Amino acid sequence: MTQHVRSARIDDFTTDTTIALAVLDEYGQRGQAPTDPRHRRLDPAIGALIRPGPDNISVTTILTPGSPNPLVLRIYRPMGVPRLLPGLVYFHGGGCVLGGLDSHDAFLRALAAYTRHLVVSVDYRLAPEHEFPAAIDDACAATEYVFQHAGILDIDRSRFVVAGDGSGAGLAAVVAQLAETAIAAVPTHQVLINPQTRWLPATASRMLFAGGPYLTAALLDWCMTCYLPDLNDRHNLRAAPGLAGSFDGLAPATVITADLDPLRDEGEHYAHALAVAGVDVGLYRLRGAFHLLWLATAINPLVQRKVIGFIARRLGTGTDDHEALAPGFDFSAAGGRLSAF
């Protein structure tokens, strides 16, 4: 297919990053591992950056049957829309150690409201209590369950998205790679926000931002030790989708990265690899943004609106009022269609 790279204005969120990091400093939190286990699901410092999401959303919780462990799924349905909706299964970030249903609640309310998707948030098992492959096993099981019960959930299976951020985006990428061959579900799109697609070796951005802001090499290593204590597992393709040898035939992808994020390069390399394999990829970089800025609606809600607007446009369920962002990379080798917004 013909390569298409769109040039456009690049927004700069450096000021917002500075303000958000100052808030984290007030809580004494700049990317270190939590000392209080109660903060693993939603650190108060991160919570201080987030405003509540829209309330025009119906939120329900279901428990899937299964052995050895049932899964808790939180379902977000926008009100005042047709019953049959596109579906989006979401895996939160946190290195497969941190985060949970509540950490991403406000964002997923907004995502459901503005994309007109039925969003399913997955409460997958976390390390160190549950090491690899617990998280990806749960991600696959949840995706299969939602896809197979689409009729009951009023989901249109012809428009079925897997999505996530950070390590959760890595889970979504693995699910997309396993579709049809290892799991009974067929995603039609994948949304990867600040995706963690490998654990080793370190990329240039991991080395450049090893000391932060916020997400540090020490925190990434701590998560890796918790989730992947077996050294051999750190190169397993079910833990590191960026190491896959082939990306042919995967679902179209939307990849969003942050300028000041250690995970930036592996996300953009993954977008490039997909495009070379012929996958339709949309790439969007938030300039001047650190890893969590898109969640920080208490600082500047425009950042999240841009992210959701780009996703909505890629999913064909909305338009973005803002000019697209262009990373300015050379994708001349891409055999697929990679739009760099």
Side-chain angles (χ1 to χ4, degrees), residues 181-192:
T181 59
I183 63 172
V186 186
T188 57
H189 201 97
Q190 49 185 318
V191 174
L192 313 177

Side-chain angles (χ1 to χ4, degrees), residues 39-269:
H39 294 169
R40 285 182 53 201
R41 287 288 183 166
L42 177 57
D43 192 309
I46 304 302
L49 301 178
I50 302 171
R51 286 180 179 168
D55 57 9
N56 59 337
I57 297 293
S58 168
V59 182
T60 56
T61 300
I62 63 173
L63 189 68
T64 69
S67 177
N69 66 297
L71 292 172
V72 177
L73 307 179
R74 184 178 290 178
I75 300 174
Y76 300 84
R77 174 181 288 278
M79 297 179 182
V81 297
R83 288 298 300 172
L84 189 65
L85 293 174
L88 186 150
V89 179
Y90 194 91
F91 310 108
H92 67 81
C96 295
V97 182
L98 307 172
L101 295 179
D102 293 336
S103 63
H104 287 63
D105 180 77
F107 169 67
L108 295 182
R109 286 172 178 270
L111 186 66
Y114 297 121
T115 65
R116 299 296 191 266
H117 276 60
L118 186 144
V119 174
V120 180
S121 181
V122 180
D123 193 25
Y124 60 89
R125 288 172 293 170
L126 297 175
E129 296 88 346
H130 304 285
E131 300 168 359
F132 173 83
I136 187 57
D137 284 348
D138 288 356
C140 290
T143 304
E144 282 189 327
Y145 179 87
V146 175
F147 190 79
Q148 296 302 321
H149 293 81
I152 297 173
L153 297 171
D154 292 322
I155 288 176
D156 178 0
R157 289 207 296 190
S158 69
R159 303 178 71 184
F160 187 77
V161 183
V162 291
D165 65 279
S167 58
L171 296 176
V174 174
V175 167
Q177 290 181 7
L178 296 176
E180 296 189 90
T181 59
I183 63 172
V186 186
T188 57
H189 201 97
Q190 49 185 318
V191 174
L192 313 177
I193 304 172
N194 297 337
Q196 182 175 2
T197 63
R198 59 202 287 180
W199 296 87
L200 295 169
T203 59
S205 63
R206 284 207 187 201
M207 292 184 284
L208 180 62
F209 301 114
Y214 183 73
L215 183 58
T216 62
L219 183 55
L220 286 166
D221 288 346
W222 177 76
C223 290
M224 179 172 65
T225 300
C226 290
Y227 181 53
L228 298 159
D230 186 333
L231 300 183
N232 294 322
D233 288 336
R234 297 175 184 181
H235 298 281
N236 189 305
L237 300 187
R238 297 177 79 228
L243 302 181
S246 173
F247 303 98
D248 294 341
L250 295 184
T254 296
V255 180
I256 299 168
T257 64
D259 209 16
L260 310 180
D261 186 357
L263 305 183
R264 181 194 69 199
D265 288 356
E266 63 203 76
E268 293 173 359
H269 293 165

